[in-house]
Amino acid sequence: DAGVTQSPTHLIKTRGQHVTLRCSPISGHKSVSWYQQVLGQGPQFIFQYYEKEERGRGNFPDRFSARQFPNYSSELNVNALLLGDSALYLCASSWTLAGYNEQFFGPGTRLTVL
Amino acid sequence: EDQVTQSPEALRLQEGESSSLNCSYTVSGLRGLFWYRQDPGKGPEFLFTLYSAGEEKEKERLKATLTKKESFLHITAPKPEDSATYLCAVNSGTYKYIFGTGTRLKVLA
């Protein structure tokens, strides 16, 4: 079975631009979460979506937004990029919302903001 | 507030030298504690889920244990290919999984 897929793999943008990152969950998984991981740190929670609805949001500014589509794939959008947005963006999927479900991660999108 | 602390930050072992990584947590009602392995520039790879104190799980040279305040990841006779960052995460029933900063493990041949 295919795991979680993310695109693109790498992305270089300049300050002030907009970026869209994409994620396809494992088949049958209905929950998708997004994380930001800066070098040397653990993943930081950004959003969780379940059944196309936002179910949780981390401590990130309104420049960050996301959505989930009927096929459970998801997009993360970041507007007005800042240098500090440079990071590895990870998507994770799980069967349900339940906190006892493990999440499975994709390979990530490396975003560099110049 | 839910919190996860991992120690040590970095660990260097000789091949075959067993050791343990620690994950201390503070949560209001643990639903699950998760261990992941992460190679540089890649997404975390799921290893184990632990649900209650006293639980243990094993996979090859790795064994994870759980108490009411911490979890240990024991590595027996490690090999160079075990070199990676090991992440611990907890969930207390909310939408949020809280991760620690990880332990960077280097196993020397």
Side-chain angles (χ1 to χ4, degrees):
Chain A
D1 284 342
V4 178
T5 59
Q6 292 186 244
S7 62
T9 305
H10 296 89
L11 206 51
I12 299 175
K13 293 286 189 178
T14 57
R15 283 176 295 175
Q17 285 189 311
H18 162 91
V19 68
T20 298
L21 311 181
R22 295 177 174 83
C23 169
S24 291
I26 291 172
S27 178
H29 285 193
K30 297 182 178 181
S31 177
V32 169
S33 295
W34 287 95
Y35 291 84
Q36 180 195 67
Q37 186 177 27
V38 298
L39 199 61
Q41 299 296 314
Q44 296 292 312
F45 173 78
I46 308 176
F47 286 110
Q48 185 180 50
Y49 276 77
Y50 178 72
E51 291 285 13
K52 302 179 289 296
E53 291 187 9
E54 180 183 311
R55 300 304 182 108
R57 183 185 183 113
N59 189 24
F60 280 80
D62 291 343
R63 299 185 295 107
F64 288 77
S65 64
R67 55 179 175 168
Q68 187 177 33
F69 299 99
N71 66 353
Y72 302 109
S73 66
S74 177
E75 281 183 355
L76 176 69
N77 295 284
V78 187
N79 292 324
L81 285 167
L82 303 174
L83 295 179
D85 294 331
S86 295
L88 181 66
Y89 287 85
L90 296 164
C91 172
S93 75
S94 57
W95 296 102
T96 68
L97 274 180
Y100 48 77
N101 285 155
E102 52 270 8
Q103 295 186 316
F104 294 90
F105 284 84
T109 293
R110 171 68 63 186
L111 172 65
T112 301
V113 182
L114 301 176
Chain B
E1 183 177 335
D2 296 349
Q3 193 168 0
V4 176
T5 303
Q6 291 189 246
S7 62
E9 290 186 6
L11 181 63
R12 291 167 66 93
L13 299 173
Q14 291 293 324
E15 185 173 3
E17 180 186 2
S18 301
S19 188
S20 295
L21 313 182
N22 177 265
C23 171
S24 297
Y25 64 90
T26 304
V27 295
S28 52
L30 182 71
R31 289 290 183 94
L33 185 142
F34 310 90
W35 282 99
Y36 291 87
R37 168 194 170 125
Q38 186 174 28
D39 293 305
K42 297 187 177 181
E45 174 189 348
F46 171 73
L47 294 174
F48 303 109
T49 305
L50 302 167
Y51 297 111
S52 57
E55 189 174 3
E56 299 182 352
K57 288 192 176 174
E58 287 188 68
K59 179 181 179 180
E60 296 181 356
R61 295 177 292 282
L62 300 177
K63 179 180 178 180
T65 62
L66 182 64
T67 72
K68 289 186 177 180
K69 293 184 178 181
E70 57 192 350
S71 177
F72 293 93
L73 184 65
H74 308 277
I75 304 177
T76 302
K79 298 181 178 181
E81 53 262 42
D82 295 322
S83 298
T85 295
Y86 290 85
L87 294 166
C88 169
V90 298
N91 185 290
S92 59
T94 68
Y95 51 83
K96 191 186 296 188
Y97 291 72
I98 307 296
F99 280 81
T101 55
T103 294
R104 296 189 309 277
L105 174 66
K106 177 72 172 178
V107 181
L108 305 172

